[in-house]
Amino acid sequence: MAHEQWRSQLDFIITLVGYGVGSGAFIRFPFYCMRNGGAYLIVFMFFTMIGAIPCVFLEMTIGQFSQSGPMNVWNICPAFKGIGVGTVIVTWLYIGFYNVTFAWFVYYFYYSFSHNLPWSHCDNVWNTPACIWNENASHLPNDTILTDNGYSLNETDGRMIAAEEFFRVQMLGESDGLDYLGGLRWHLVGCLAVTTAILFLSMFQGIKVSGKLVYITVIVPYILILVFLIRGSLLPGSAEGFHYFIYPKFDKLTDPEVWIHACRYALFSLGIAMGCFITMSGHNRKDNNCFRDAVIICLIDSLTNVFFGFAFFCVLGHVAYQRGVTVEAFQSSGLDLAFIVYPEVISALPLPQLWSVMTFFTLMLLAIDSMAPTVEIIIAALEDVFPRLMKRRWLIIGPVVLSLFLFGLIYISEGGIYAVTLMDWYAYFPSTAVFGILECIAVGWCYGTKRLQEDVHTMWGKKIPLVMVIGYKILCPLFLIVICCYSFYSYRPPKYGDYIYPTWATAIGWLISFSSLLPLPAVFIWAVYNTPGATMKQKLKKSFEPSEDWIRSQNEDDVPGVFQPMVAP
């Protein structure tokens, strides 16, 4: 059955730009920059050029040639079909708790229309005597820092800013730990239901509709961030924020952690080894130039992160100026940055309600840009296995989003934040790095550059530049191996604030982590066993060669022509 195709190539590019940028550009990227300053920018751009582009090109090429989803694409090397199964598992785990983050954005967006932002003062019914707010915070001593637990005067101080009490007490209603999940937070159940409805409506008509929606969900955040940047640049203290962001601390370049974090973010912020580029490229025309698209998407993604960083740090510089502290005082990461630091910063700006609406509307749009393609990976995998369901798309989407809603209920209980942290800690590691390494081995070494050159020639009559071949055969797997090894070396048990996870929770975390890796040996054994051959050696050798389905696709689309370089010599 024919695969649905994009109406235009611009739909494809904008969709993948939105997927790559996502809310991570607003949450994770500023944290890494706050920790390492301008040195991080240098290393990040370096790894984008030599690491991300070859990986993206590789995934785009095999996805476009196969015209299929994340399962059937591994007809290229049947022994590695477990990669497809594993990526679907990781994707389902990822989107399960990412939906909850979107529900939190919805909740904050709703309260952004309040006459007085509830996180800007301590007069709410849920506030405790330990609460401090903007006016009090402006008089805190200079050694006050914003840690993972909010503003504190020292290591044992128990006070929290109003923004943190809103997040932890009012919205989450945090329990004492994972041992006691407690009841559901019904206001968040409603927000999760809204999230599920938005996800279903944005996808049930397929890429020909969602490909048009991305023009709004991707372009509007750029406009809003530009407003942030222009207005923030006119505020006192913004220059200090700019300086902190772009001035490189060259001594940081000798720190291996800076290189590891930059490489990890450059590769995985784009969703490499998650199946998205393979799935979305499967909807391309066969004659599309993947090399051009890979360069465009990676450059836009990296420059967008820098653009968002300028907007973030100019506003942060102003708030630091108001508080009489340095920009470094606001170091925080992940959820704390999005739901504690941002609201605290917003409450210090003129017209805070307007800034709050713009901020959380932007985060919602960026999040949906990542969520929709992620769910599309699961749907494409099911269509690979059950091709007849392609005619009744809603029969796939409905159960998928419903399963995500039901699975998400555990995250919006009173102890849900501990489950979210545990899942975020283990869901990707080490599976995505392993999948990336195996992808490079399967395509670059087992399938081989000669065959891939022939496929590229068949599609758009060019040949692969040598730098790309070196990238996906040597550099990318090497980077991923280093990331994987360093992650094991620097591993520490999960922690949320002062809460230390019990041993049984850590064991569950590792089970989650390896659940996506189990299909690799299982599918490998199954593929070898079912491969024709008189001896085990023959079966093993043939399982590493393209299947008949892949060869048939190649023969059907082969056209005569002459190799031409993709780039001018």
Side-chain angles (χ1 to χ4, degrees):
M1 187 175 294
H3 218 47
E4 186 180 19
Q5 290 194 336
W6 299 99
R7 289 181 181 269
S8 73
Q9 203 58 30
L10 187 60
D11 295 359
F12 167 71
I13 291 174
I14 292 182
T15 297
L16 287 179
V17 166
Y19 173 79
V21 173
S23 58
F26 226 52
I27 297 176
R28 296 186 186 274
F29 186 74
F31 165 69
Y32 288 130
C33 292
M34 279 193 291
R35 177 188 286 182
N36 304 302
Y40 181 81
L41 288 181
I42 298 173
V43 184
F44 168 69
M45 295 300 294
F46 171 76
F47 281 118
T48 297
M49 295 297 103
I50 69 169
I53 293 178
C55 284
V56 171
F57 168 75
L58 187 71
E59 294 194 359
M60 280 187 178
T61 301
I62 62 175
Q64 181 173 301
F65 184 82
S66 69
Q67 294 285 288
S68 63
M71 303 289 286
N72 287 347
V73 72
W74 293 107
N75 288 327
I76 191 174
C77 189
F80 287 91
K81 267 199 170 183
I83 297 175
V85 180
T87 54
V88 173
I89 294 174
V90 170
T91 297
W92 192 83
L93 293 172
Y94 164 76
I95 194 64
F97 71 86
Y98 198 88
N99 280 358
V100 174
T101 305
F102 186 91
W104 294 347
F105 291 151
V106 172
Y107 190 72
Y108 271 75
F109 181 71
Y110 170 79
Y111 271 98
S112 297
F113 292 94
S114 304
H115 178 68
N116 291 314
L117 294 178
W119 50 79
S120 65
H121 59 87
C122 291
D123 298 327
N124 304 290
V125 295
W126 62 79
N127 289 129
T128 67
C131 179
I132 57 175
W133 57 294
N134 289 350
E135 186 175 322
N136 306 107
S138 64
H139 298 296
L140 290 174
N142 289 333
D143 60 351
T144 299
I145 59 172
L146 186 62
T147 67
D148 286 342
N149 299 316
Y151 277 115
S152 63
L153 297 176
N154 52 59
E155 293 290 334
T156 58
D157 190 273
R159 288 188 284 176
M160 291 192 293
I161 57 173
E164 185 176 3
E165 287 207 345
F166 179 83
F167 176 62
R168 300 179 66 174
V169 179
Q170 163 60 11
M171 188 181 79
L172 299 180
E174 285 183 9
S175 67
D176 293 331
L178 202 57
D179 301 287
Y180 179 71
L181 289 177
L184 294 175
R185 303 291 287 172
W186 289 104
H187 52 275
L188 293 181
V189 174
C191 292
L192 185 60
V194 170
T195 302
T196 304
I198 292 174
L199 197 55
F200 178 82
L201 293 174
S202 65
M203 298 192 61
F204 83 103
Q205 288 291 347
I207 63 168
K208 291 185 178 179
V209 173
S210 62
K212 297 303 178 185
L213 291 176
V214 293
Y215 286 91
I216 298 174
T217 59
V218 174
I219 294 175
V220 169
Y222 279 88
I223 297 173
L224 295 176
I225 295 299
L226 181 61
V227 173
F228 272 89
L229 179 59
I230 294 173
R231 182 66 183 95
S233 299
L234 301 175
L235 297 172
S238 60
E240 284 73 17
F242 285 140
H243 180 268
Y244 185 85
F245 178 52
I246 63 176
Y247 182 76
K249 300 176 182 177
F250 290 105
D251 60 307
K252 288 284 187 178
L253 295 177
T254 61
D255 185 355
E257 282 199 13
V258 175
W259 292 80
I260 293 293
H261 289 312
C263 183
R264 180 187 296 159
Y265 187 80
L267 294 176
F268 297 130
S269 69
L270 284 162
I272 289 170
M274 292 283 285
C276 184
F277 284 102
I278 291 174
T279 302
M280 296 297 131
S281 298
H283 299 288
N284 281 341
R285 300 188 316 273
K286 269 289 189 77
D287 60 350
N288 177 62
N289 190 326
C290 294
F291 177 73
R292 175 200 62 205
D293 290 351
V295 173
I296 290 173
I297 290 170
C298 291
L299 287 179
I300 292 177
D301 177 80
S302 59
L303 293 176
T304 296
N305 278 278
V306 175
F307 172 57
F308 283 17
F310 274 109
F312 172 82
F313 278 95
C314 73
V315 175
L316 194 65
H318 168 67
V319 176
Y321 170 82
Q322 281 189 321
R323 297 285 186 267
V325 297
T326 64
V327 174
E328 291 176 296
F330 289 90
Q331 283 194 29
S332 193
S333 63
L335 300 178
D336 287 342
L337 183 61
F339 298 103
I340 298 176
V341 176
Y342 278 153
E344 171 65 13
V345 168
I346 289 167
S347 63
L349 298 174
L351 300 175
Q353 290 84 357
L354 176 61
W355 287 102
S356 185
V357 168
M358 289 173 58
T359 297
F360 288 103
F361 185 59
T362 299
L363 286 169
M364 288 166 60
L365 293 178
L366 292 172
I368 200 69
D369 289 335
S370 293
M371 291 161 59
T374 302
V375 175
E376 185 66 35
I377 298 170
I378 303 173
I379 295 169
L382 292 173
E383 289 177 346
D384 281 349
V385 179
F386 308 105
R388 293 184 179 181
L389 292 178
M390 292 176 68
K391 291 184 177 180
R392 296 178 177 85
R393 185 179 173 85
W394 63 272
L395 286 176
I396 305 178
I397 300 176
V400 168
V401 297
L402 180 60
S403 70
L404 294 173
F405 172 80
L406 296 176
F407 187 65
L409 293 178
I410 191 173
Y411 299 128
I412 53 177
S413 62
E414 292 175 354
I417 185 63
Y418 304 104
V420 168
T421 303
L422 186 70
M423 186 65 71
D424 189 36
W425 206 278
Y426 288 104
Y428 318 101
F429 171 75
S431 54
T432 50
V434 172
F435 295 152
I437 295 167
L438 294 180
E439 278 184 7
C440 294
I441 293 173
V443 182
W445 294 95
C446 297
Y447 187 64
T449 299
K450 182 179 178 181
R451 287 172 174 161
L452 197 64
Q453 288 278 21
E454 293 172 354
D455 295 343
V456 168
H457 166 60
T458 298
M459 289 189 287
W460 69 90
K462 306 282 187 176
K463 67 177 182 180
I464 306 173
L466 180 61
V467 65
M468 287 293 103
V469 177
I470 296 174
Y472 67 72
K473 291 190 71 171
I474 300 174
L475 295 181
C476 293
L478 179 62
F479 292 154
L480 290 167
I481 290 171
V482 171
I483 289 173
C484 192
C485 293
Y486 187 83
S487 297
F488 276 113
Y489 170 75
S490 60
Y491 167 80
R492 59 185 177 88
K495 181 181 179 182
Y496 174 72
D498 295 328
Y499 177 73
I500 305 297
Y501 281 75
T503 303
W504 64 265
T506 303
I508 291 175
W510 280 111
L511 289 176
I512 293 171
S513 180
F514 284 100
S515 65
S516 56
L517 293 176
L518 291 177
L520 290 174
V523 175
F524 176 82
I525 295 171
W526 177 85
V528 173
Y529 178 79
N530 287 279
T531 299
T535 65
M536 183 57 64
K537 183 178 180 180
Q538 291 177 350
K539 286 174 173 284
L540 186 63
K541 181 180 179 181
K542 194 171 180 59
S543 69
F544 286 96
E545 297 177 354
S547 70
E548 293 297 326
D549 291 332
W550 186 274
I551 296 172
R552 190 181 306 116
S553 174
Q554 186 179 44
N555 292 335
E556 288 174 356
D557 293 279
D558 196 20
V559 293
V562 179
F563 280 123
Q564 299 175 8
M566 292 185 188
V567 291

